[in-house]
Structure formats: structure tokens, C-alpha cells
Amino acid sequence: MEKEDILLKSKNDNRKGDELQVQNKQNAEMFGYGSVMFVLVILMIMGSELVSGEVQIGSMTMLFEDFITLLVGLSLVCEFGAKFYFTRKWWQLLLALFFLAGIIAYFIRYQL
């Protein structure tokens, strides 16, 4: 094979990124999705009243829309936190902290 053929083959093989980067991205996404599924399973075991439009967690009752907001925010925090853990890119840590601050601010406003 000539040099150009080898380079073209290598470029085509690495089109989607390095194998380690692809695997780390998949691990981070699965961690985020897994954390949301864990919360949903725990709530199903607790017998939440999702039909009435309210979710009761311990002594706190929140609207279903607020619960969905919490789950989406939690998923984003977990995903970007795991991506930072696997890739050590600081902008992903900043995004995780940004979404965490958003969740905290949302629920502080909600409780007041």
C-alpha cells in the first residue's frame, strides 16, 4: 500500500473519533440515563401519585412539571459530570456546575 492509501484508510477508520473518546462519551451518557432511571424506579417503589399531577418525595410534594424539571437537570448534571470525569475537559465541569446551580436556584425559588 502507498502512503496516501494508508492515510485515507486511517482517516476513514477514525471518522467518529478515537475509540477511547467514543467509549468515554457512551459511558457518560449511560451514567446520566442510569441515574434518571434509578430515581424513577425508586419513586415507582414508593408509590408516587403521578396520576394526580403531584409527586410526593418524603414529606415534600411537588408538581409533576417540577419533578420533570428536576429529572432533566439531574440528568444533565450527571452526564456532564461523568464526561468531565472521563475526559478531564474543564468546560464540561463548568456545564455540570451551571446546571446544578440552575436546579438549586429553581427549587429555592419554588420553596419560597
Side-chain angles (χ1 to χ4, degrees):
M1 291 180 101
E2 292 183 13
K3 182 179 177 181
E4 291 79 24
D5 293 336
I6 294 172
L7 288 174
L8 182 62
K9 185 178 185 307
S10 176
K11 185 177 180 180
N12 288 336
D13 288 343
N14 293 327
R15 221 176 357 167
K16 294 182 181 177
D18 187 34
E19 272 187 54
L20 181 60
Q21 290 174 339
V22 171
Q23 185 64 34
N24 287 341
K25 181 180 175 187
Q26 290 172 346
N27 288 342
E29 290 170 353
M30 290 306 295
F31 183 77
Y33 302 141
S35 63
V36 171
M37 290 306 294
F38 176 75
V39 170
L40 289 175
V41 168
I42 294 298
L43 288 174
M44 285 173 54
I45 291 171
M46 291 172 46
S48 299
E49 299 272 334
L50 294 178
V51 177
S52 68
E54 293 182 345
V55 177
Q56 185 172 4
I57 301 173
S59 63
M60 187 174 93
T61 302
M62 67 173 62
L63 296 174
F64 185 69
E65 293 85 9
D66 294 330
F67 177 69
I68 295 300
T69 302
L70 175 67
L71 287 182
V72 169
L74 177 64
S75 176
L76 289 170
V77 169
C78 291
E79 181 178 343
F80 285 110
K83 282 182 180 179
F84 168 73
Y85 177 78
F86 289 120
T87 63
R88 299 290 190 235
K89 292 182 180 176
W90 290 98
W91 65 270
Q92 291 171 337
L93 176 64
L94 292 175
L95 278 175
L97 293 175
F98 173 76
F99 286 119
L100 181 62
I103 291 171
I104 292 170
Y106 183 82
F107 282 99
I108 286 175
R109 182 195 60 81
Y110 177 73
Q111 292 297 323
L112 296 177

